[in-house]
Amino acid sequence: MANEDIFKKIIAHAKEYGFVFQSSEIFDGLSAVYDYGQYGAELKKNIMDYWWKSMVQYHENIVGIDAAIFMHPDVWKSSGHLDAFNDPMIDNKDSKKRYRADELIEDHIAKLQGKIDKEVAKASKRFGDDFDEQKFLETNPRVIRNREKIDAIIKRMVKALEEDDLKDLKQLIIDLEIACPISGSKNWTDVRQFNLMFATQLGALGDGASKIYLRPETAQGIFVNYLNVQKTGRMKLPFGIAQIGKAFRNEIVARQFIFRMREFEQMEMQYFVRPGTEQEWFKYWKEERMKWHLATGIPEENFRFHEHDKLAHYANAAFDIEFNFPMGFKELEGIHSRTDYDLGAHQKFTGKKIQYYDPETNESYVPYVVETSIGLDRTFLAVLTAAYTEEKLEDGSERTMMKIPPFLAPIKAAILPLTKKDGLPEKAREIMDSLKYDYMCFYEEKDTIGKRYRRMDAIGTPYSITVDHQTLEDNTVTIRERDSMEQDRIPIEKIAGIIAERIRIKR
Ligand code: ATP
């Protein structure tokens, strides 16, 4: 199936089964804004809990906060966002579609890289066990040519971005003969910078009101609270502050479902370290975060690291963890070494000393920061993408199943009386009541048992528990496992243990 078709199916499935709805849909929707439905909200909460536990509960030196969305407007002057939080955009005059100039160029690079990957795959097939990939990459003329092209493009793009040379950015798009994916034409406007900050008014409108912003990242709420937390928590370096919260960006190009939204949620952790140790901690967090993703059980080949070609104004090292979304590998999480840029800037702007007295070295300094910044919504989309499975069954029928990692699944167990009579609902309710205080459970008596199983498959429920006439005689039930569809007869008292084992996070 083409990737585009899979994406459409995932979006339709997410709507049909109560995961994600377009915001204000009955008013024709609000572009690039989405609402989470009854199962989506559960899945999102489970992802949040997994992150919070992994960061705050499992690390004794990381604490969590919850800062306000509104901040003093000078925060954004001091952090550089008002001046530099821009994206270079270009419009195609025929399709009237707007693109991020750097992303058009990066897609072109990905195509060249795809050619290299194809050559490698072909050669690997031809040479079998004798294939030496490294040597092939270094010697094959076609690979070398494409590699050189990629390097030259990256060099020119980074230079243009760093020097804010929008003319050359456009010229690069023209020289590479990049066409609009919609109209196919190369009829481009000039490249222009767009600031991504949303502004609003604090106080009554009019002269007295002051302009404030919806935060475009959660990180600044942590930086401005660095001293508060360090002092009240008596924290010693290295230590971290974690936060989950909404962020807002007036994204100009927002066509990819919940991948790029105007209102979204970030899970960020800023780790404060002694200057000079930041590369070591950067390496540590890079590996640690990849382990977090892999511990979900989502196969490794869906993830990869990508080193930034152009570093943000505050960073001295930056890697993304990319995920293989239906539209290809794209950023899921960023790991950045932010130096003392933010604390230093706020210290300068406010004139307040933001420093750490290090008892080991007898020195005071502005700590360095290594941050891990992940989009909650993008993680949600990654989970949906990896989970969506269409299966042909032995009897010729088909089922659509969400293979959501059990500990993240919205519902852990469905309790289903086989029929609506003979005391089966009462018995099933008893089981429901014994489980629901520990696990999110779902009770349903309508429709045939087959239809009810399919609905549970479609929302990713790992277990369905069926109460039948035998249950009334010997206190046993049928437990059906989602992926294998295997059914076992077990005593009622074993249900809780089976669910607990399956939803344990294995680290
Ligand atoms: P991109 O290059 O895709 O615009 P970014 O580099 O601007 O992302 P960061 O500023 O590093 O993103 O933000 C950290 C994380 O927040 C990203 O890795 C992503 O998961 C998430 N994120 C950023 N922008 C959005 C958005 N508009 N919608 C949903 N998630 C987002």
Side-chain angles (χ1 to χ4, degrees), residues 20-35:
V20 182
F21 307 124
Q22 173 81 61
S23 157
S24 325
E25 195 189 346
I26 56 168
F27 288 86
D28 288 341
L30 182 64
S31 146
V33 185
Y34 290 89
D35 297 338

Side-chain angles (χ1 to χ4, degrees), residues 100 249 251 259-261 264 266 331-332 373 375 378:
R100 249 172 68 181
R249 294 182 190 178
E251 299 279 5
F259 179 82
R260 191 175 299 286
M261 297 198 283
F264 60 100
Q266 290 185 315
E331 172 175 345
L332 170 60
S373 174
R378 282 193 194 173

Side-chain angles (χ1 to χ4, degrees), residues 349-361:
F349 201 99
T350 59
K352 299 205 172 88
K353 205 166 147 193
I354 308 181
Q355 299 206 344
Y356 175 77
Y357 171 71
D358 191 331
E360 280 174 36
T361 61

